[in-house]
Amino acid sequence: GGILIPDNATEKPTQGKVERVGPGKLLKNGDFAAMSVKEGDIILFGKYSGTEVKVNGKELVIMREDDIMAIIE
């Protein structure tokens, strides 16, 4: 058995440029895990990933690193 999903029902990833990066995920020992993305990277993410916000008239998406599908090189 399996599940068949038609092409028009699949979610298409969205592309964006990383504007800012935080310090990373806070670990239980108090250290931060290193980020795998950096400012300027072009990434792919799901259509419903992150939270859309408007800052100084610019529309941005704030998301966790786990929501990133790929980094385009």
Side-chain angles (χ1 to χ4, degrees):
I3 298 173
L4 180 63
I5 301 175
D7 287 339
N8 61 354
T10 58
E11 178 183 322
K12 304 288 190 254
T14 303
Q15 181 175 317
K17 180 179 178 183
V18 177
E19 294 285 328
R20 298 284 187 271
V21 177
K25 184 177 182 176
L26 183 61
L27 303 174
K28 289 182 180 182
N29 66 3
D31 292 336
F32 287 96
M35 298 285 286
S36 61
V37 296
K38 60 187 181 307
E39 291 180 16
D41 281 349
I42 305 298
I43 60 168
L44 292 179
F45 55 94
K47 182 177 180 180
Y48 300 106
S49 297
T51 302
E52 294 182 11
V53 296
K54 197 170 192 174
V55 178
N56 296 329
K58 189 173 186 180
E59 293 196 23
L60 303 170
V61 178
I62 298 174
M63 70 178 59
R64 296 168 29 132
E65 187 177 30
D66 294 344
D67 292 333
I68 298 172
M69 294 178 175
I71 301 171
I72 299 173
E73 295 186 6

